[in-house]
Each structure stands twice: as C-alpha cells, then as structure tokens.
Amino acid sequence: MAENKVVDDFEVLRVTGLEDNDYSRWMENLPNEKQLCPLKDLVIPGSHDSGTFFLDQNMEIGPDESSTIQTLGSIFGKIAKSVVHSWSVTQSMTIYEQLLSGIRYLDLRVAYRAEDNEIHILHGLYGWAIQRVLEEVNRFVANYPNEIVILDFNHFYNMDTATHETLADTLLASFSEIFRAPGEDGPNVTLQEMWGNEEKGHHNLSRLWRGRRLPLFLAAAFNLLSVAKHSRQEIADGVS
C-alpha cells in the first residue's frame, strides 16, 4: 500500500511539473504570423503508438499479432506476454502527460475486445479502454482551450460496422460541445479562425474527416475542427 502511494505521489509531482510549461500551450503562444498560417503548414509534433504507455499483460495477446505469436502466448502465458510487452511499449508518458509536453498528434490503434465489451488501445497487447483515453484528451483541452489535438485512428481490429458505430458515438459524446464543421477551408483553416469561430459542433456532429479512408478528429476546447467530408455511417461502412 505504501509503495502504491509513493508511485501515486510521484505521478502527481510529474504532472504538476509538466503543467503550464512552455510546451503545454505552445499553439496559443505562437507568433501572430504562425497563428495565421493554414493548419496544414504548421509542424505539429506527434507520438507513435501514443496509447502504449500501458499494456495489460493479464489480458490475452492481441489480434494484431500473428497466429504463431498468439499460439505461443497461449502456451507460455506470462513469459510470452512479457516478451511481446517489451517490444510493444513505445511511450512512457500518459496521454495527458504527452499533451502537456507539447504533443498534438496522437496515433491511436484500437481493437474491440469481446471479453469486456470494450474498445481498447492495441499494440501486441491491450491497453486502456478508449473512453479513458478520451477523458485524458478532454482534461487537457478543458485546461488549455486554445490547443488543438489531432486524434488519428488508423488501425482497427475485431471491429465490424456496429463497433465502428460505437466508436463514432463515443467520440461524438465525448466531444459534442467542442465539435464544429470547418466549412470549405478544411485543413487550410488557421488557428485564429478556429479560436474565433462561435459555431458549436453540434450542428454537424455526423460529419467526420477521413484520411485514406480513416477517421481523423481534430479536437480543441470550445472549438473542435472536424474537417468533414463523410458521414458517421460512411465511416462505419467504409473502414475495415
């Protein structure tokens, strides 16, 4: 118990040290000329396999691994999972800590897990449920309303039309008050235009942007840029 308290206290100190540093609000602090640049012309730092700071070795090996690796996992159990874990973890910071450190692009790979009826982060092993990831993003954008966060869902496993619909519904429910349609500007919109737009996204909640047939969500507190060309149903029908 004492050891867990030490870990919790350390995490609190680490997060406190990251809050309000120069990176936590770098978009807001950009010079005026950069705030007037199209979003696509900004260099936006991102992280690879952003959700893999935690992968659960008590769960089975994920469907993204080969049948051989999955068979080894069922035979050798925790020994095999520890090996998979060692090559699958790519981050040491939580989502919130990454955002505080300046990351604005999150690479999220997900899978439906029937055993708990949840959509999880996946990379060799299952990680957090997606709802928990979105809670961390919401926590950040609530504290830093002028920062834009890109959520790129680019790999899907064990997901049919119904689970894609569930993912879309979860995203829309999580960010319903901060979605807005970008209009014809799309990624040519500027930060200042996003900050100054008074429209709320609930007018266009079914409109999502896909890159190479994949949904891409740009989240910002109060004004979420949802660069949109395809409906939620099209995402569910078109992404495999």
Side-chain angles (χ1 to χ4, degrees):
M1 182 68 69
E3 181 179 349
N4 289 338
K5 187 178 187 306
V6 170
V7 172
D8 291 342
D9 289 345
F10 174 76
E11 290 179 352
V12 169
L13 288 172
R14 184 169 66 174
V15 169
T16 302
L18 290 171
E19 288 177 333
D20 292 319
N21 60 44
D22 290 340
Y23 305 114
S24 61
R25 53 177 84 246
W26 67 263
M27 286 182 164
E28 180 180 340
N29 293 331
L30 285 173
N32 187 67
E33 62 269 21
K34 295 299 182 182
Q35 294 177 6
L36 293 172
C37 284
L39 191 65
K40 65 181 178 62
D41 290 342
L42 294 178
V43 177
I44 299 178
S47 56
H48 172 66
D49 272 309
S50 306
T52 62
F53 51 88
F54 171 78
L55 295 172
D56 195 339
Q57 296 184 58
N58 292 317
M59 295 184 182
E60 65 277 10
I61 290 176
D64 57 332
E65 292 293 351
S66 68
S67 58
T68 300
I69 297 297
Q70 293 183 44
T71 299
L72 290 173
S74 64
I75 295 172
F76 296 103
K78 289 187 177 181
I79 295 175
K81 291 177 186 177
S82 66
V83 174
V84 173
H85 184 273
S86 68
W87 73 51
S88 297
V89 172
T90 67
Q91 304 299 329
S92 60
M93 292 182 172
T94 67
I95 296 296
Y96 186 63
E97 291 168 347
Q98 291 178 48
L99 296 173
L100 288 174
S101 300
I103 294 300
R104 295 294 178 269
Y105 169 93
L106 299 177
D107 166 25
L108 302 172
R109 306 170 188 211
V110 295
Y112 172 72
R113 184 171 183 266
E115 286 77 1
D116 58 8
N117 195 32
E118 293 275 6
I119 296 173
H120 287 264
I121 293 293
L122 182 74
H123 191 219
L125 297 167
Y126 292 95
W128 278 6
I130 196 61
Q131 184 62 52
R132 189 173 179 186
V133 172
L134 301 182
E135 287 171 359
E136 294 242 317
V137 176
N138 257 322
R139 177 186 177 190
F140 177 78
V141 297
N143 292 333
Y144 304 93
N146 287 333
E147 300 302 303
I148 310 304
V149 179
I150 302 172
L151 308 183
D152 185 3
F153 291 84
N154 55 70
H155 288 68
F156 303 89
Y157 300 91
N158 290 348
M159 292 184 64
D160 57 14
T161 298
T163 48
H164 278 292
E165 280 287 315
T166 298
L167 175 59
D169 287 341
T170 301
L171 286 159
L172 297 174
S174 297
F175 299 114
S176 61
E177 294 302 316
I178 53 176
F179 266 77
R180 75 168 175 85
E184 296 180 357
D185 288 337
N188 292 311
V189 71
T190 69
L191 289 175
Q192 287 193 10
E193 287 170 345
M194 293 175 67
W195 297 336
N197 192 297
E198 298 297 328
E199 296 181 9
K200 295 297 183 181
H202 59 265
H203 297 300
N204 287 282
L205 282 180
S206 66
R207 307 295 289 175
L208 308 174
W209 183 21
R210 298 192 301 182
R212 289 188 297 179
R213 295 169 59 103
L214 303 176
L216 183 64
F217 301 87
L218 306 181
F222 308 122
N223 289 298
L224 175 69
L225 174 64
S226 165
V227 183
K229 291 184 180 179
H230 300 275
S231 71
R232 181 178 61 187
Q233 184 61 51
E234 286 173 321
I235 288 179
D237 291 341
V239 181
S240 58

